[in-house]
Amino acid sequence: MRLRTRIALLTVAAVCATTAVASPVQAATDTHLEGELPSGAAYLMDVPADWNGTVLLYSHGYRPAGAPGNPAQNAPSTDTLTRLLAAGYALIGSSYATQGWAVTDAVPDQLATLDLFTERFGAARRTLAWGTSYGGLVTTMLAERHADRFDGSLSMCGLVQGGAANWNSTLDPVFALKTLLAPAAVIPLAGFADQAAARRAASALAAKTAAAQETAQGRARIALAAALHNIPGHNDPTQTEPGPTDWQAQQANQYAALTGLIQLPAFSWRQEAESRAGGNMSWNTGVDYTAMLGRSPLYKEVSELYREAGLSLRTDLAALNRAPRIPADAPAVRWMRHTSVFSGRLTDPQLNIHTTGDALIPVQAESAYRRAAAAAGSGPLLSQAYVDAPGHCTFTSGEMIGALHTLEHRLDTGRWDASPEALNSRARREDPAAAARYLHYRPTLYPRPHDLAHPAGVRTPSGDARP
């Protein structure tokens, strides 16, 4: 790797009516730019002196509303930034003008950053969109709805099931916990007036769940709730990997992840998204939880824990299916479908990579996007690969850059070479000291997919079946 001297020269940028206020920092070899877009979002650009003509537009992950700081980010890590700059790539990216479920800000802010880059440095030979986690949703929105601006895209541990499916799948486990652990308690699961109401509901359900974890019956029911979200039994690098039939250890790991789901995504983050959508954008009307559990890869664990606890799984599933359901607000569903649900229509190649032990965005999200792309006729443009690792976005630098080179190979040759062996070879070349963990893997079905490619086969409580 070549070492570059970053000698900063502070300058003052002019304010243009159609561009951002920039604060360029020029270097003898590389150029580093920071500034502010008209929306108020920050942007960041690093361009090597020997730029190879490819620009990488990075979309960062979810940042909760109210979190301190909202910096621009143009790479998933400092190490990937350093390695890619040394290889001649230009790296750009923005913060988004707002935090939270900010797709309506993120997409235009990222496009504005690309516009500013082109104005400053000229048109790129190749433009690639890439992003992690929530940034995978932003990346895929860019790829589907602004295909003329990009040559290809890379989504890493992305929320590629789309917004409606995500919020439906987040609703299911807390619905099960509320129904089975606190049937008489008044704990709202949607339609929060404000953050304070969401936090009160989260605290109440978390307390009931913590108490249940102390009993065999409670642990079995928590495992059932985890299975409805496909939370794996090994979902954090700090956990010891349980044996394949160590149901108790698997459940303990799931409980830890489920606690995190209650603390933030299922309540606080949901309320923020509801405030944008104008109401509750998720539902469980018409859902057959018996069938959903039967499709889960965690069914065996749940059934064994129920047997050990002396509980009837059939009785609890019947209770879930009888419980009063949560309907969606039709305008909120329409907003989500307009802003955050995928069509599956790709014009250029997209590669998705995902860790198999992801609890936040379970790996089954990839099957949801595969379903949409196949229905839209984009199947040949999509490739998906899997890393054998616990946790969310726990890729090595080599695994991410190797995936990027795999996408470039597809663009150069017109064919995919995305086998685990090819990806591992590229990953090792980039980072010989780290393990390369791509494997042959096929995720099970996403519990409740929802996309724009199936208008005739998708029904919502409001009857809003079409885009």
Side-chain angles (χ1 to χ4, degrees), residues 19-280:
T19 62
V21 179
S23 300
V25 181
Q26 306 257 333
T29 54
D30 299 345
T31 301
H32 176 85
L33 292 176
E34 297 183 32
E36 185 176 291
L37 299 171
S39 67
Y43 70 81
L44 180 61
M45 302 182 188
D46 284 289
V47 184
D50 54 349
W51 177 36
N52 64 13
T54 296
V55 60
L56 307 176
L57 177 67
Y58 177 72
S59 296
H60 67 71
Y62 185 88
R63 292 176 182 168
N70 189 27
Q73 189 173 343
N74 63 347
S77 67
T78 301
D79 188 53
T80 54
L81 174 69
T82 301
R83 292 171 185 268
L84 289 168
L85 273 178
Y89 294 87
L91 295 101
I92 66 174
S94 73
S95 65
Y96 314 140
T98 58
Q99 298 167 309
W101 195 266
V103 64
T104 53
D105 293 316
V107 169
D109 285 341
Q110 289 289 75
L111 292 173
T113 301
L114 183 57
D115 288 339
L116 192 60
F117 172 85
T118 303
E119 178 182 316
R120 174 66 175 78
F121 296 98
R125 176 182 59 84
R126 177 176 285 172
T127 303
L128 304 178
W130 65 327
T132 48
S133 192
Y134 182 79
L137 180 143
V138 176
T139 293
T140 306
M141 281 295 167
L142 290 168
E144 285 194 357
R145 301 187 182 189
H146 300 277
D148 59 316
R149 305 296 304 276
F150 301 95
D151 297 291
S153 54
L154 170 61
S155 169
M156 300 176 285
C157 55
L159 203 150
V160 292
Q161 71 271 47
N166 170 73
W167 292 114
N168 280 343
S169 187
T170 304
L171 176 64
D172 291 325
V174 294
F175 178 80
L177 292 174
K178 163 67 175 63
T179 301
L180 299 178
L181 303 182
V186 179
I187 304 175
L189 303 179
F192 303 107
D194 51 32
Q195 276 290 302
R199 286 193 294 268
R200 285 194 298 271
S203 295
L205 188 60
K208 295 289 186 181
T209 306
Q213 183 66 13
E214 299 301 314
T215 69
Q217 293 81 6
R219 289 191 291 272
R221 286 167 170 153
I222 291 168
L224 169 56
L228 298 179
H229 194 62
N230 284 338
I231 294 175
H234 185 212
N235 56 70
D236 190 296
T238 65
Q239 297 168 345
T240 300
E241 183 174 7
T245 60
D246 190 348
W247 315 121
Q248 297 293 342
Q250 292 180 31
Q251 191 277 338
N253 291 344
Q254 291 164 332
Y255 168 69
L258 201 54
T259 298
L261 185 77
I262 294 169
Q263 288 173 342
L264 291 173
F267 291 92
S268 177
W269 297 0
R270 171 184 290 280
Q271 188 278 329
E272 192 277 337
E274 286 181 347
S275 71
R276 291 177 183 268
N280 175 30

Side-chain angles (χ1 to χ4, degrees), residues 203-462:
S203 295
L205 188 60
K208 295 289 186 181
T209 306
Q213 183 66 13
E214 299 301 314
T215 69
Q217 293 81 6
R219 289 191 291 272
R221 286 167 170 153
I222 291 168
L224 169 56
L228 298 179
H229 194 62
N230 284 338
I231 294 175
H234 185 212
N235 56 70
D236 190 296
T238 65
Q239 297 168 345
T240 300
E241 183 174 7
T245 60
D246 190 348
W247 315 121
Q248 297 293 342
Q250 292 180 31
Q251 191 277 338
N253 291 344
Q254 291 164 332
Y255 168 69
L258 201 54
T259 298
L261 185 77
I262 294 169
Q263 288 173 342
L264 291 173
F267 291 92
S268 177
W269 297 0
R270 171 184 290 280
Q271 188 278 329
E272 192 277 337
E274 286 181 347
S275 71
R276 291 177 183 268
N280 175 30
M281 60 283 169
S282 61
W283 65 93
N284 67 350
T285 49
V287 173
D288 183 344
Y289 284 107
T290 299
M292 185 184 294
L293 179 64
R295 295 189 296 269
S296 172
L298 303 170
Y299 174 80
K300 177 66 172 176
E301 174 204 340
V302 173
S303 62
E304 287 298 318
L305 287 172
Y306 264 78
R307 182 185 62 78
E308 292 174 8
L311 282 178
S312 168
L313 179 57
R314 179 179 297 180
T315 298
D316 273 3
L317 287 169
L320 283 179
N321 283 335
R322 286 195 309 268
R325 299 310 174 92
I326 297 172
D329 297 321
V333 174
R334 286 193 292 270
W335 183 91
M336 189 62 64
R337 287 169 65 82
H338 178 69
T339 64
S340 311
V341 174
F342 295 123
S343 68
R345 290 189 292 271
L346 293 169
T347 303
D348 303 303
Q350 179 174 100
L351 174 62
N352 293 355
I353 63 173
H354 218 115
T355 48
T356 57
D358 193 337
L360 183 62
I361 304 176
V363 67
Q364 287 80 14
E366 299 297 339
S367 69
Y369 194 67
R370 169 63 67 182
R371 169 183 182 266
S378 300
L381 289 170
L382 176 67
S383 188
Q384 296 167 311
Y386 302 96
V387 170
D388 184 18
H392 179 56
C393 298
T394 51
F395 307 111
T396 66
S397 295
E399 287 164 347
M400 290 186 283
I401 298 175
L404 179 65
H405 292 332
T406 298
L407 173 62
E408 291 179 302
H409 182 274
R410 170 64 175 79
L411 293 170
D412 291 339
T413 66
R415 62 181 180 84
W416 285 111
D417 182 20
S419 69
E421 293 78 15
L423 280 157
N424 284 331
S425 176
R426 294 184 181 108
R428 291 189 192 99
R429 283 199 298 269
E430 294 299 324
D431 192 358
R437 303 165 296 174
Y438 285 99
L439 80 163
H440 292 277
Y441 184 83
R442 185 180 180 88
T444 54
L445 296 177
Y446 193 77
R448 287 207 277 151
H450 185 93
D451 58 66
L452 304 182
H454 294 82
V458 174
R459 296 174 58 195
T460 73
S462 64

